[in-house]
């Protein structure tokens, strides 16, 4: 059995929190923005959301069911590129037009009121961490927290949001299709975790 990482512990803690609906919408919007794949199956579109951790998929499924009338299928697939060789995912079917509008998925998020409250900003950042974040244990001598995405604008917005909290991450291109928002100072990482 593999040992639980510090990232995994932080993500479990986020998933154990109780969020008000307005905050849950911000978290879900952020997670979807980073992890959504649209799939065509039997002439019908479904949304696929993935994570290497089943507890995150269960949390996202509960969030959807709490907020929307959707049908959800949970699956596990083998994936040689993943750390543990598995990818957990849900497929969501429902009124996507309503969900997209409600979560401002096809809108410049800065021009909405989705993250107008500080609690919703925190939830949006939490969604980003669940979707693409990792962190080394603060007990190590190498401090590193990052959020990855293929969406530059999404990470740029995350950066601006974190700056509003007095946290100053660096945003950089990692590869052809990946960008990273990261922190390396222990005090900034501690502030992020708070």
């Amino acid at each position: 059995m593999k040992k639980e990482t510090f990232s995994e512990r932080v993500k479990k803690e986020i998933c154990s929190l109780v969020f008000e609906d307005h905050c849950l919408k911000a978290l879900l919007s952020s997670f979807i923005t980073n992890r959504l794949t649209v799939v065509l199956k039997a002439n019908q579109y479904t949304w696929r959301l993935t994570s290497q951790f089943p507890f995150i998929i269960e949390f996202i499924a509960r969030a959807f069911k709490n907020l929307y009338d959707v049908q959800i299928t949970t699956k596990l697939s083998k994936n040689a590129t993943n750390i543990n060789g598995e990818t957990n995912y849900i497929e969501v079917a429902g009124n996507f037009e309503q969900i997209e509008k409600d979560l401002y998925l096809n809108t410049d998020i800065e021009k909405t009121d989705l993250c107008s409250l500080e609690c919703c900003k925190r939830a949006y950042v939490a969604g980003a961490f669940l979707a693409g974040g990792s962190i080394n244990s603060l007990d190590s001598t190498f401090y590193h927290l990052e959020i990855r995405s293929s969406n530059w604008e999404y990470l740029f917005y995350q950066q601006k949001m974190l700056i509003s909290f007095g946290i100053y991450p660096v945003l950089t291109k990692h590869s052809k299709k990946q960008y990273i928002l990261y922190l390396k100072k222990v005090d900034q990482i501690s502030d992020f975790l708070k």
Side-chain angles (χ1 to χ4, degrees), residues 22 37 135 157:
H22 55 94
T37 303
I135 182 173
Y157 182 65

Side-chain angles (χ1 to χ4, degrees), residues 39-46 48 75 89 91:
V39 179
L40 179 62
K41 292 176 78 173
N43 293 326
Q44 183 177 1
Y45 287 103
T46 60
R48 181 175 291 173
K75 299 195 177 190
Y89 65 93
E91 288 185 348

Side-chain angles (χ1 to χ4, degrees), residues 142-167:
F142 177 70
Y143 305 116
H144 186 83
L145 180 145
E146 69 179 40
I147 299 173
R148 291 178 180 244
S149 179
S150 60
N151 185 330
W152 174 269
E153 291 82 15
Y154 169 73
L155 287 181
F156 183 66
Y157 182 65
Q158 295 288 342
Q159 183 184 42
K160 289 170 76 173
M161 199 172 297
L162 287 168
I163 288 169
S164 77
F165 290 122
I167 300 169

Side-chain angles (χ1 to χ4, degrees), residues 108-124:
D108 181 354
I109 203 76
E110 283 188 272
K111 296 179 179 170
T112 72
D113 62 353
L114 184 68
C115 294
S116 59
L117 300 174
E118 188 169 309
C119 57
C120 293
K121 286 181 185 179
R122 292 177 190 277
Y124 197 81

